[in-house]
Amino acid sequence: MGEFIGKVKTIQDTPFGYTVSVIGGKWKMVILYLLAENHPVRFNDLKRQIGAITYKTLSAQLKELEADGLVKRKEYPQIPPKVEYSLTVKGESLLPVLENLCEWGATNRDR
């Protein structure tokens, strides 16, 4: 982070800003966590596991994660339609970051 001191005009100009733009928001890290734990996952299974998210929001978040290259969508040509989601290699590269966040939470939760 020190290499950016004095050079940053906006936070989006930094690697931190890029990372936050990709995984920021209320649901993206939850979706990534669930895809890491249970892959591949069907849309309705994700919805059931998250609970409070709407279908529209889940769909939008998955599309954004797919556009950013973190999630891949596999559609099966059958009736009824079947779609599965899983992490890409780029998405899997975020797992150590999510694990560190979990460790931080476990350490600081009851303080």
PDB file of all heavy atoms in Angstrom, residues 42-62:
ATOM      1  N   ARG A  42     -26.546 -25.029  -8.121  1.00  0.00           N
ATOM      2  CA  ARG A  42     -27.641 -24.548  -8.958  1.00  0.00           C
ATOM      3  C   ARG A  42     -28.215 -23.265  -8.355  1.00  0.00           C
ATOM      4  O   ARG A  42     -28.085 -23.001  -7.159  1.00  0.00           O
ATOM      5  CB  ARG A  42     -28.715 -25.618  -9.087  1.00  0.00           C
ATOM      6  CG  ARG A  42     -28.177 -26.835  -9.859  1.00  0.00           C
ATOM      7  CD  ARG A  42     -29.184 -27.900 -10.039  1.00  0.00           C
ATOM      8  NE  ARG A  42     -30.228 -27.429 -10.956  1.00  0.00           N
ATOM      9  CZ  ARG A  42     -31.228 -28.190 -11.360  1.00  0.00           C
ATOM     10  NH1 ARG A  42     -31.339 -29.438 -10.948  1.00  0.00           N
ATOM     11  NH2 ARG A  42     -32.140 -27.703 -12.182  1.00  0.00           N
ATOM     12  N   PHE A  43     -28.844 -22.476  -9.211  1.00  0.00           N
ATOM     13  CA  PHE A  43     -29.368 -21.167  -8.819  1.00  0.00           C
ATOM     14  C   PHE A  43     -30.284 -21.262  -7.601  1.00  0.00           C
ATOM     15  O   PHE A  43     -30.110 -20.538  -6.615  1.00  0.00           O
ATOM     16  CB  PHE A  43     -30.118 -20.535 -10.003  1.00  0.00           C
ATOM     17  CG  PHE A  43     -30.616 -19.152  -9.722  1.00  0.00           C
ATOM     18  CD1 PHE A  43     -29.835 -18.047 -10.001  1.00  0.00           C
ATOM     19  CD2 PHE A  43     -31.874 -18.941  -9.177  1.00  0.00           C
ATOM     20  CE1 PHE A  43     -30.295 -16.757  -9.742  1.00  0.00           C
ATOM     21  CE2 PHE A  43     -32.341 -17.658  -8.920  1.00  0.00           C
ATOM     22  CZ  PHE A  43     -31.542 -16.572  -9.207  1.00  0.00           C
ATOM     23  N   ASN A  44     -31.265 -22.151  -7.643  1.00  0.00           N
ATOM     24  CA  ASN A  44     -32.220 -22.253  -6.533  1.00  0.00           C
ATOM     25  C   ASN A  44     -31.561 -22.734  -5.245  1.00  0.00           C
ATOM     26  O   ASN A  44     -31.981 -22.357  -4.149  1.00  0.00           O
ATOM     27  CB  ASN A  44     -33.401 -23.150  -6.908  1.00  0.00           C
ATOM     28  CG  ASN A  44     -34.374 -22.436  -7.826  1.00  0.00           C
ATOM     29  OD1 ASN A  44     -34.506 -21.227  -7.795  1.00  0.00           O
ATOM     30  ND2 ASN A  44     -35.058 -23.204  -8.660  1.00  0.00           N
ATOM     31  N   ASP A  45     -30.535 -23.562  -5.364  1.00  0.00           N
ATOM     32  CA  ASP A  45     -29.799 -23.985  -4.171  1.00  0.00           C
ATOM     33  C   ASP A  45     -29.071 -22.802  -3.538  1.00  0.00           C
ATOM     34  O   ASP A  45     -29.049 -22.663  -2.312  1.00  0.00           O
ATOM     35  CB  ASP A  45     -28.804 -25.097  -4.508  1.00  0.00           C
ATOM     36  CG  ASP A  45     -29.485 -26.400  -4.875  1.00  0.00           C
ATOM     37  OD1 ASP A  45     -30.644 -26.618  -4.446  1.00  0.00           O
ATOM     38  OD2 ASP A  45     -28.868 -27.207  -5.602  1.00  0.00           O
ATOM     39  N   LEU A  46     -28.475 -21.958  -4.374  1.00  0.00           N
ATOM     40  CA  LEU A  46     -27.835 -20.748  -3.858  1.00  0.00           C
ATOM     41  C   LEU A  46     -28.862 -19.863  -3.151  1.00  0.00           C
ATOM     42  O   LEU A  46     -28.620 -19.378  -2.047  1.00  0.00           O
ATOM     43  CB  LEU A  46     -27.213 -19.940  -5.001  1.00  0.00           C
ATOM     44  CG  LEU A  46     -25.762 -20.174  -5.335  1.00  0.00           C
ATOM     45  CD1 LEU A  46     -25.352 -19.330  -6.529  1.00  0.00           C
ATOM     46  CD2 LEU A  46     -24.856 -19.922  -4.172  1.00  0.00           C
ATOM     47  N   LYS A  47     -29.995 -19.670  -3.788  1.00  0.00           N
ATOM     48  CA  LYS A  47     -31.061 -18.845  -3.216  1.00  0.00           C
ATOM     49  C   LYS A  47     -31.498 -19.389  -1.857  1.00  0.00           C
ATOM     50  O   LYS A  47     -31.649 -18.653  -0.890  1.00  0.00           O
ATOM     51  CB  LYS A  47     -32.241 -18.791  -4.199  1.00  0.00           C
ATOM     52  CG  LYS A  47     -33.525 -18.202  -3.642  1.00  0.00           C
ATOM     53  CD  LYS A  47     -33.426 -16.714  -3.395  1.00  0.00           C
ATOM     54  CE  LYS A  47     -34.756 -16.118  -2.981  1.00  0.00           C
ATOM     55  NZ  LYS A  47     -34.981 -16.069  -1.565  1.00  0.00           N
ATOM     56  N   ARG A  48     -31.669 -20.705  -1.787  1.00  0.00           N
ATOM     57  CA  ARG A  48     -32.094 -21.341  -0.536  1.00  0.00           C
ATOM     58  C   ARG A  48     -31.047 -21.163   0.565  1.00  0.00           C
ATOM     59  O   ARG A  48     -31.378 -20.890   1.712  1.00  0.00           O
ATOM     60  CB  ARG A  48     -32.318 -22.836  -0.788  1.00  0.00           C
ATOM     61  CG  ARG A  48     -33.660 -23.331  -0.363  1.00  0.00           C
ATOM     62  CD  ARG A  48     -33.868 -24.819  -0.545  1.00  0.00           C
ATOM     63  NE  ARG A  48     -33.255 -25.470  -1.686  1.00  0.00           N
ATOM     64  CZ  ARG A  48     -33.764 -25.497  -2.929  1.00  0.00           C
ATOM     65  NH1 ARG A  48     -34.885 -24.883  -3.191  1.00  0.00           N
ATOM     66  NH2 ARG A  48     -33.148 -26.141  -3.889  1.00  0.00           N
ATOM     67  N   GLN A  49     -29.772 -21.322   0.207  1.00  0.00           N
ATOM     68  CA  GLN A  49     -28.703 -21.213   1.202  1.00  0.00           C
ATOM     69  C   GLN A  49     -28.541 -19.782   1.711  1.00  0.00           C
ATOM     70  O   GLN A  49     -28.241 -19.572   2.885  1.00  0.00           O
ATOM     71  CB  GLN A  49     -27.387 -21.710   0.618  1.00  0.00           C
ATOM     72  CG  GLN A  49     -27.375 -23.207   0.396  1.00  0.00           C
ATOM     73  CD  GLN A  49     -26.101 -23.670  -0.280  1.00  0.00           C
ATOM     74  OE1 GLN A  49     -25.034 -23.100  -0.074  1.00  0.00           O
ATOM     75  NE2 GLN A  49     -26.199 -24.706  -1.098  1.00  0.00           N
ATOM     76  N   ILE A  50     -28.736 -18.800   0.839  1.00  0.00           N
ATOM     77  CA  ILE A  50     -28.595 -17.401   1.253  1.00  0.00           C
ATOM     78  C   ILE A  50     -29.835 -16.952   2.014  1.00  0.00           C
ATOM     79  O   ILE A  50     -29.742 -16.274   3.028  1.00  0.00           O
ATOM     80  CB  ILE A  50     -28.325 -16.485   0.042  1.00  0.00           C
ATOM     81  CG1 ILE A  50     -26.992 -16.857  -0.591  1.00  0.00           C
ATOM     82  CG2 ILE A  50     -28.323 -15.026   0.474  1.00  0.00           C
ATOM     83  CD1 ILE A  50     -26.708 -16.164  -1.899  1.00  0.00           C
ATOM     84  N   GLY A  51     -30.993 -17.307   1.501  1.00  0.00           N
ATOM     85  CA  GLY A  51     -32.234 -16.982   2.190  1.00  0.00           C
ATOM     86  C   GLY A  51     -32.785 -15.612   1.880  1.00  0.00           C
ATOM     87  O   GLY A  51     -33.722 -15.472   1.112  1.00  0.00           O
ATOM     88  N   ALA A  52     -32.220 -14.558   2.448  1.00  0.00           N
ATOM     89  CA  ALA A  52     -32.816 -13.227   2.403  1.00  0.00           C
ATOM     90  C   ALA A  52     -32.663 -12.505   1.066  1.00  0.00           C
ATOM     91  O   ALA A  52     -33.233 -11.444   0.880  1.00  0.00           O
ATOM     92  CB  ALA A  52     -32.207 -12.367   3.505  1.00  0.00           C
ATOM     93  N   ILE A  53     -31.943 -13.041   0.137  1.00  0.00           N
ATOM     94  CA  ILE A  53     -31.710 -12.381  -1.142  1.00  0.00           C
ATOM     95  C   ILE A  53     -32.881 -12.629  -2.094  1.00  0.00           C
ATOM     96  O   ILE A  53     -33.489 -13.697  -2.070  1.00  0.00           O
ATOM     97  CB  ILE A  53     -30.375 -12.872  -1.771  1.00  0.00           C
ATOM     98  CG1 ILE A  53     -29.928 -11.979  -2.920  1.00  0.00           C
ATOM     99  CG2 ILE A  53     -30.475 -14.323  -2.202  1.00  0.00           C
ATOM    100  CD1 ILE A  53     -28.511 -12.275  -3.392  1.00  0.00           C
ATOM    101  N   THR A  54     -33.210 -11.639  -2.915  1.00  0.00           N
ATOM    102  CA  THR A  54     -34.273 -11.824  -3.901  1.00  0.00           C
ATOM    103  C   THR A  54     -33.708 -12.519  -5.137  1.00  0.00           C
ATOM    104  O   THR A  54     -32.495 -12.497  -5.378  1.00  0.00           O
ATOM    105  CB  THR A  54     -34.890 -10.480  -4.328  1.00  0.00           C
ATOM    106  OG1 THR A  54     -33.894  -9.718  -5.022  1.00  0.00           O
ATOM    107  CG2 THR A  54     -35.426  -9.703  -3.139  1.00  0.00           C
ATOM    108  N   TYR A  55     -34.584 -13.106  -5.934  1.00  0.00           N
ATOM    109  CA  TYR A  55     -34.155 -13.762  -7.171  1.00  0.00           C
ATOM    110  C   TYR A  55     -33.477 -12.756  -8.100  1.00  0.00           C
ATOM    111  O   TYR A  55     -32.452 -13.051  -8.711  1.00  0.00           O
ATOM    112  CB  TYR A  55     -35.346 -14.419  -7.881  1.00  0.00           C
ATOM    113  CG  TYR A  55     -35.818 -15.672  -7.196  1.00  0.00           C
ATOM    114  CD1 TYR A  55     -36.944 -15.657  -6.383  1.00  0.00           C
ATOM    115  CD2 TYR A  55     -35.140 -16.878  -7.361  1.00  0.00           C
ATOM    116  CE1 TYR A  55     -37.382 -16.807  -5.743  1.00  0.00           C
ATOM    117  CE2 TYR A  55     -35.566 -18.028  -6.725  1.00  0.00           C
ATOM    118  CZ  TYR A  55     -36.683 -17.997  -5.924  1.00  0.00           C
ATOM    119  OH  TYR A  55     -37.105 -19.131  -5.296  1.00  0.00           O
ATOM    120  N   LYS A  56     -34.056 -11.569  -8.192  1.00  0.00           N
ATOM    121  CA  LYS A  56     -33.521 -10.536  -9.078  1.00  0.00           C
ATOM    122  C   LYS A  56     -32.114 -10.121  -8.647  1.00  0.00           C
ATOM    123  O   LYS A  56     -31.214  -9.993  -9.473  1.00  0.00           O
ATOM    124  CB  LYS A  56     -34.459  -9.326  -9.067  1.00  0.00           C
ATOM    125  CG  LYS A  56     -34.029  -8.203  -9.956  1.00  0.00           C
ATOM    126  CD  LYS A  56     -35.021  -7.051  -9.898  1.00  0.00           C
ATOM    127  CE  LYS A  56     -34.558  -5.890 -10.749  1.00  0.00           C
ATOM    128  NZ  LYS A  56     -35.481  -4.768 -10.724  1.00  0.00           N
ATOM    129  N   THR A  57     -31.924  -9.913  -7.352  1.00  0.00           N
ATOM    130  CA  THR A  57     -30.614  -9.508  -6.837  1.00  0.00           C
ATOM    131  C   THR A  57     -29.593 -10.611  -7.023  1.00  0.00           C
ATOM    132  O   THR A  57     -28.460 -10.347  -7.454  1.00  0.00           O
ATOM    133  CB  THR A  57     -30.710  -9.112  -5.352  1.00  0.00           C
ATOM    134  OG1 THR A  57     -31.646  -8.045  -5.229  1.00  0.00           O
ATOM    135  CG2 THR A  57     -29.372  -8.686  -4.793  1.00  0.00           C
ATOM    136  N   LEU A  58     -29.966 -11.852  -6.722  1.00  0.00           N
ATOM    137  CA  LEU A  58     -29.044 -12.972  -6.902  1.00  0.00           C
ATOM    138  C   LEU A  58     -28.626 -13.081  -8.363  1.00  0.00           C
ATOM    139  O   LEU A  58     -27.444 -13.244  -8.671  1.00  0.00           O
ATOM    140  CB  LEU A  58     -29.670 -14.280  -6.419  1.00  0.00           C
ATOM    141  CG  LEU A  58     -28.817 -15.539  -6.600  1.00  0.00           C
ATOM    142  CD1 LEU A  58     -27.455 -15.402  -5.928  1.00  0.00           C
ATOM    143  CD2 LEU A  58     -29.563 -16.756  -6.065  1.00  0.00           C
ATOM    144  N   SER A  59     -29.582 -12.970  -9.256  1.00  0.00           N
ATOM    145  CA  SER A  59     -29.287 -13.042 -10.684  1.00  0.00           C
ATOM    146  C   SER A  59     -28.332 -11.929 -11.102  1.00  0.00           C
ATOM    147  O   SER A  59     -27.348 -12.173 -11.818  1.00  0.00           O
ATOM    148  CB  SER A  59     -30.585 -12.952 -11.479  1.00  0.00           C
ATOM    149  OG  SER A  59     -30.315 -12.999 -12.851  1.00  0.00           O
ATOM    150  N   ALA A  60     -28.572 -10.723 -10.640  1.00  0.00           N
ATOM    151  CA  ALA A  60     -27.716  -9.587 -10.986  1.00  0.00           C
ATOM    152  C   ALA A  60     -26.306  -9.766 -10.432  1.00  0.00           C
ATOM    153  O   ALA A  60     -25.314  -9.506 -11.131  1.00  0.00           O
ATOM    154  CB  ALA A  60     -28.327  -8.289 -10.461  1.00  0.00           C
ATOM    155  N   GLN A  61     -26.199 -10.224  -9.184  1.00  0.00           N
ATOM    156  CA  GLN A  61     -24.884 -10.419  -8.571  1.00  0.00           C
ATOM    157  C   GLN A  61     -24.092 -11.510  -9.289  1.00  0.00           C
ATOM    158  O   GLN A  61     -22.891 -11.363  -9.524  1.00  0.00           O
ATOM    159  CB  GLN A  61     -25.032 -10.771  -7.087  1.00  0.00           C
ATOM    160  CG  GLN A  61     -25.661  -9.685  -6.241  1.00  0.00           C
ATOM    161  CD  GLN A  61     -24.755  -8.491  -6.063  1.00  0.00           C
ATOM    162  OE1 GLN A  61     -23.849  -8.503  -5.239  1.00  0.00           O
ATOM    163  NE2 GLN A  61     -24.984  -7.457  -6.852  1.00  0.00           N
ATOM    164  N   LEU A  62     -24.770 -12.599  -9.658  1.00  0.00           N
ATOM    165  CA  LEU A  62     -24.105 -13.674 -10.400  1.00  0.00           C
ATOM    166  C   LEU A  62     -23.624 -13.185 -11.762  1.00  0.00           C
ATOM    167  O   LEU A  62     -22.520 -13.529 -12.197  1.00  0.00           O
ATOM    168  CB  LEU A  62     -25.035 -14.876 -10.548  1.00  0.00           C
ATOM    169  CG  LEU A  62     -25.217 -15.715  -9.293  1.00  0.00           C
ATOM    170  CD1 LEU A  62     -26.404 -16.664  -9.443  1.00  0.00           C
ATOM    171  CD2 LEU A  62     -23.941 -16.492  -8.962  1.00  0.00           C
TER     172      LEU A  62
END
